[in-house]
Amino acid sequence: MQNSDANSDVNSPSQTSSKRLVFCITELDPGGAEKALVRIAVGLKDLGWDVSVVSLRDAGVMAQPLHAAGIPVTALKCGWFGDVRAVYRLTRHLIASPPEILLCFLHQANIVGRIVGRWLKLPRVVSGIRVADSRRWIIWSDRLTRRLVDHYVAVSDAVAELHSRLCGIPSSKISAIPNGVDLPAEPSRRVVLGSPSSFRILYVGRLTAQKSPQTLVEAFCRLSDGVRTATTLDFIGDGPQRSAMTRLIQQRGLSDRVRLLGHRDDVADFLQAADLLVLPSIWEGLPNVVLEAMAHRLPVVASDVDGVRDLIRDKDTGWLVPPGQPDDLAATITQVLQSPQLRAEVAENAFAMVKENFTWDAAIRKYDGLLCRLMKSD
C-alpha cells in the first residue's frame, strides 16, 4: 500500500485553487462515512479546492454542515443499488462542468461514479473504500469496474490490504488515509475507582446487519443477574433493524434496561456519561465512534475485525472479542465493568494514541497531498 504521509508535501494548497473536486456519496444520512466526507470536504475547501457534493439518494441531515460551509449539495433522489437512473442523473449533473477529480464514497457511488467517469472521460476518478466488504456481489461489481478507477483511498491499512486482495487491485493504486477525530475541549473524565452501584453501556451506530446490534442484546442477557440489574444499555442510531431490535428487547424482557434512542445530536454527552462503549460489528472500516470514544477516554470493547484492529490493541487501548459471539462478549463486558482501575489505564492509553495519531488536520493534509499528486500524474 502507498504511504499517504509521503504525499502530503507534493504541492501547496495554493496550487489547487482553480481545481474542481466533486464528492459523490450514496447518501448523506448520519453515519461514519458521511461524517468523514463532511470533514474532508470542508477541510479541502479551506485549503482552496472548489468543492461540491452529490448524493445519489436524498440529501439527508449531513447536508446541513456542508451548506453551512458554503459547499453546494445536489441530491439526485435515486433508489438503491439497481437504480440505473443514477448513471444518467450523475452524468447530466456533471456534464456541464466536469470536475478534475471525482471522489466517491460508499459502494453504490463508487460503481456509478466509475461508469460516469469513463463516459465523460473525467481526468481522475478516485474510489473511497470505507470498509472491506467481503460479500460476493460487492467484490465482483468492484472487480468488473476496477479498471475505471485511477486510485483508491482506504480508511485504514487493514482495509486497504484486504480490499486489494479481494478485488485484485495493485498495491500502487491504493493508499490508506485514516479518519480523524476532534478532541474534547475538556478531555478529562471522572473515573470511579471504587465499586459503583450502576453502569452505563453505550452503542453508537446504525442498526444494520453489519453492526450486529442483536449480538450486544444477547450478550446483555448473558450478564450475571447482579451485573445486568445494575447496568443500562443505550443504543444511539437508527436503521433497518430497529423493528427487529424492538421485538428482541421485548422478548428478552429487557425494556426496563435497554433503550433504543434513535438519532441524537448530543452523542458527545452520552460518551462522556457512559462507562463503556461496545461495538459488536461483523466487519468494519475504521469506526469513527471508536475514535470518538477514545478521545473522550471512554473504554471500548469491540469485535476483532479489520479496521478495528488498527485502533485497538487488545487489553492495551481497548478489548477485542470474536464477532458474533455473545458469550465471549458478555464475559469481556463483565470483566471490564468490574475492573475500574484497568478501565482507567486502558482509556488513558487509548486517548494518548488518538491524540498522537488521529486528527482531522492530518487526514485533510494527506487527502490534499494525494489529490495534488494524482492531478500531476500522467
Side-chain angles (χ1 to χ4, degrees):
M1 308 308 144
Q2 290 194 355
N3 183 347
S4 56
D5 290 327
N7 302 327
S8 59
D9 60 352
V10 173
N11 279 340
S12 66
S14 63
Q15 290 175 279
T16 69
S17 59
S18 64
K19 301 304 182 182
R20 183 161 184 257
L21 169 64
V22 173
F23 285 84
C24 179
I25 191 165
T26 301
E27 59 187 359
L28 281 169
D29 290 334
E34 293 82 359
K35 292 176 182 177
L37 179 145
V38 170
R39 293 304 301 266
I40 296 163
V42 172
L44 290 176
K45 179 178 184 294
D46 291 342
L47 290 179
W49 290 83
D50 177 8
V51 178
S52 61
V53 175
V54 178
S55 169
L56 297 185
R57 302 177 191 171
D58 292 335
V61 300
M62 297 310 298
Q64 296 172 6
L66 293 168
H67 286 306
I71 295 176
V73 178
T74 301
L76 301 184
K77 299 188 181 300
C78 299
W80 294 91
F81 188 78
D83 190 343
V84 296
R85 296 177 301 172
V87 171
Y88 169 72
R89 291 179 180 179
L90 182 60
T91 300
R92 187 175 60 182
H93 176 74
L94 296 179
I95 196 169
S97 182
E100 279 76 15
I101 296 180
L102 177 64
L103 174 54
C104 303
F105 275 34
L106 300 178
H107 188 69
Q108 183 181 1
N110 277 332
I111 302 302
V112 171
R114 294 170 195 179
I115 296 169
V116 172
R118 173 58 61 91
W119 195 348
L120 294 179
K121 298 181 180 180
L122 298 180
R124 295 290 181 268
V125 175
V126 180
S127 283
I129 308 302
R130 313 304 299 178
V131 61
D133 194 329
S134 59
R135 288 176 292 179
R136 184 172 300 177
W137 72 274
I138 296 283
I139 294 171
W140 281 106
S141 56
D142 205 305
R143 278 180 170 270
L144 288 170
T145 57
R146 64 190 174 187
R147 297 185 185 279
L148 309 180
V149 182
D150 294 288
H151 203 76
Y152 294 80
V153 183
V155 76
S156 71
D157 288 329
V159 169
E161 291 169 7
L162 181 57
H163 193 76
S164 176
R165 176 166 54 82
L166 289 173
C167 300
I169 301 166
S171 59
S172 61
K173 288 188 65 173
I174 187 165
S175 300
I177 302 180
N179 290 339
V181 67
D182 293 312
L183 297 178
E186 298 293 335
S188 62
R189 55 182 287 114
R190 179 179 61 85
V191 178
V192 178
L193 297 181
S195 298
S197 58
S198 63
F199 302 105
R200 298 182 66 175
I201 298 175
L202 182 63
Y203 166 103
V204 181
R206 285 179 54 77
L207 302 180
T208 64
Q210 174 205 342
K211 302 289 186 179
S212 193
Q214 292 93 335
T215 298
L216 180 50
V217 175
E218 296 292 0
F220 192 84
C221 293
R222 289 162 168 78
L223 298 176
S224 67
D225 290 343
V227 174
R228 187 174 63 254
T229 56
T231 304
T232 57
L233 170 58
D234 287 335
F235 286 85
I236 294 180
D238 219 329
Q241 298 212 354
R242 184 183 180 104
S243 296
M245 286 285 290
T246 300
R247 291 193 299 270
L248 179 60
I249 291 166
Q250 292 172 345
Q251 290 167 2
R252 298 293 187 265
L254 298 174
S255 298
D256 61 331
R257 312 303 303 169
V258 180
R259 300 187 298 175
L260 300 179
L261 301 179
H263 172 70
R264 302 281 304 207
D265 293 323
D266 54 351
V267 174
D269 294 337
F270 282 85
L271 292 171
Q272 188 66 31
D275 297 289
L276 182 65
L277 178 87
V278 180
L279 188 68
S281 304
I282 303 300
W283 70 87
E284 277 289 350
L286 193 83
N288 288 350
V289 68
V290 171
L291 284 172
E292 291 167 4
M294 290 176 165
H296 282 82
R297 289 185 169 91
L298 174 62
V300 178
V301 173
S303 295
D304 186 5
V305 295
D306 293 303
V308 174
R309 296 189 200 104
D310 285 358
L311 298 178
I312 294 181
R313 300 186 297 268
D314 192 32
K315 300 179 180 63
D316 180 28
T317 58
W319 289 265
L320 296 172
V321 297
Q325 300 295 324
D327 289 330
D328 292 332
L329 183 56
T332 301
I333 289 173
T334 299
Q335 174 196 0
V336 173
L337 290 181
Q338 294 181 339
S339 306
Q341 183 65 50
L342 183 60
R343 291 204 311 274
E345 292 173 359
V346 169
E348 194 62 37
N349 292 342
F351 175 79
M353 186 268 293
V354 166
K355 184 177 180 180
E356 177 70 20
N357 298 298
F358 296 93
T359 66
W360 278 118
D361 283 345
I364 291 162
R365 286 196 303 271
K366 290 174 184 178
Y367 267 95
D368 178 50
L370 174 63
L371 298 178
C372 288
R373 182 178 64 82
L374 290 175
M375 286 197 304
K376 287 187 66 177
S377 62
D378 294 330

